[in-house]
Amino acid sequence: MIILDLTHNVALLLALTVAYEQIHTRLKQNNPVYVLITGVLFGIVTLAGMMTPMVFAPGVIYDGRSIVLSAAGYIGGPFVAFIAASMAVLFRVYLGGAGVLAGVLTIIESALLGVVFFLLRNRNPVWKRPLNLWVLGIAVHALMLLSQLALPGSLGMSVIGSIGIWIMLLYPVALVLILLVFINQQDLIRTKESLDTRETWYRSLFEDTFAPRLIVSPEDGQILDANTAAERFYGWSREELCTMRARDINTISEEEIRKEMRTAAENQRNYFESRHRLKDGTLRDVAVFSSVVQLRDRKILNSVIIDITEQKEVETRLMHVLRQKDSLLQEVHHRVRNNLALVSSLLDFQLEDMSIPKEEYVALKITANRVQALSMIHNLLYQNDDLSLLNFTQFLRVLAETLPGSCGVGDFAGIRVDGSDILLDVHYAMPLGLMVNELLVNLLGDFGKVDKKAQLVLDFHRNTDNQYIITLLDEDGDFASAPLLYGQQNLSRELVAHLSGQINGKIDYLPEKGTLARICFAVTGGESGLSRVEHGYREVIDED
């Protein structure tokens, strides 16, 4: 009879799980309507079991209420357990008999223990394990048997002796099985809700973005899906786009399309530029960002399309303007070079006048060398692709090759340039070139006082602190006595100091064997390195 009663209650509870799933799917667990309906359903199942009980003695009945009510507390929580227990208590009091008190106590302790384990489960998922559920079943039915002592006389002991062992063996196991069904159902419902939420998120991310999106198969280029923005951009409906392949909207060859999709699918590259064809035949420049989505059986490409037609048009116009600017700058450098060459020639003609006093001749010669150094810089810039940068090491090599002859010391052993090629901004190169030229011209002007085999060395490099250093070396000490190296103030020293200040640099004169002078400076992004000419040019531009 106990087994039949147990089977009957288990069947009712399994039927309840179906209704519970529907309620849980449609209502949130903290919704008052959910709590009320769930509590009433557990109460109805309890009452249904109590209507077909095992009658032990007049007024003393046994059924599966302990299983149902502890399940109500464990699954639904305090309020569900309260509703179901209240219905059970009222019905048991209505039935009356000698077992009313014991029956009510069983109802109360079953619901309370279910609620206690519900709270424990919310704190720690370990209370969902079968062993802990079995502990709940043991506790509920141990207290149930103890409550039978409230029966009159020796009836309670008689009940415990007759059905106690069956209750302790079967009822906890039945409770564990029922609770596992409910727990599994709750987990499935939560998983489904989570999946539905994520699908909504991802669908929203796909649909509600301003940028066109296409889902494409990398194997054959088939368009699998398109968002609303893609419909607006291309002009085809989603249904039409999903019947098309990438080649139908892309202007490049099918082989190139396959190559790009393979590259994207292998995560080697995710950015491509192309031209896409719209429904009305218009061609638009687009940037395509493709990411790989790994499905169970294949990969697909999630492609975001950005219209860059206007950007490309602006780039084309800018490139045209830059080419015009480069042409203009080249023409400027060409004209400046020619004008400087003309000035240099005029100075050379003037120097051929033998009636010029020696001091004036030397001054004119130094001036001619300065003009020639500037002309050399403009000539190198004119030959460059980048008109804002100068290979300064190359300039030093040209200067070292031409300056001795210009200074009239052709039998000079020469000037050696050490260091790798270094590019400098023209605003640094101009003052620095004049500084080096001024130092060399003054030293070579005293050449008659030294050995004809003397050699100067220019060492140009950049150190680890990002400082540029030009060192003027005299390995044999032939130039150590040059007047420029000492504290005698003259035009050359003033000019070198002024030019050094323009590039925020520093020059040290070291009249000792091995090292004659050292120039140090650091390139910054500010205007400190600009010449006065550049400052004046900017002021004119600002006024315009």
Side-chain angles (χ1 to χ4, degrees), residues 497-542:
H498 178 72
L499 293 170
S500 176
Q502 287 187 6
I503 60 174
N504 277 348
K506 177 184 179 185
I507 180 166
D508 295 315
Y509 297 99
L510 307 168
E512 58 187 40
K513 184 177 180 179
T515 303
L516 300 177
R518 182 181 294 113
I519 302 171
C520 300
F521 67 98
V523 174
T524 62
E527 293 186 351
S528 57
L530 302 180
S531 65
R532 289 182 178 179
V533 176
E534 176 67 12
H535 279 293
Y537 175 74
R538 285 197 172 184
E539 289 173 3
V540 172
I541 294 298
D542 291 340

Side-chain angles (χ1 to χ4, degrees), residues 443-462:
L443 291 173
L444 295 178
D446 297 325
F447 181 72
K449 303 176 183 180
V450 298
D451 190 346
K452 301 294 183 182
K453 295 181 180 180
Q455 185 182 49
L456 290 171
V457 178
L458 282 172
D459 179 76
F460 183 38
H461 68 278
R462 183 172 61 185

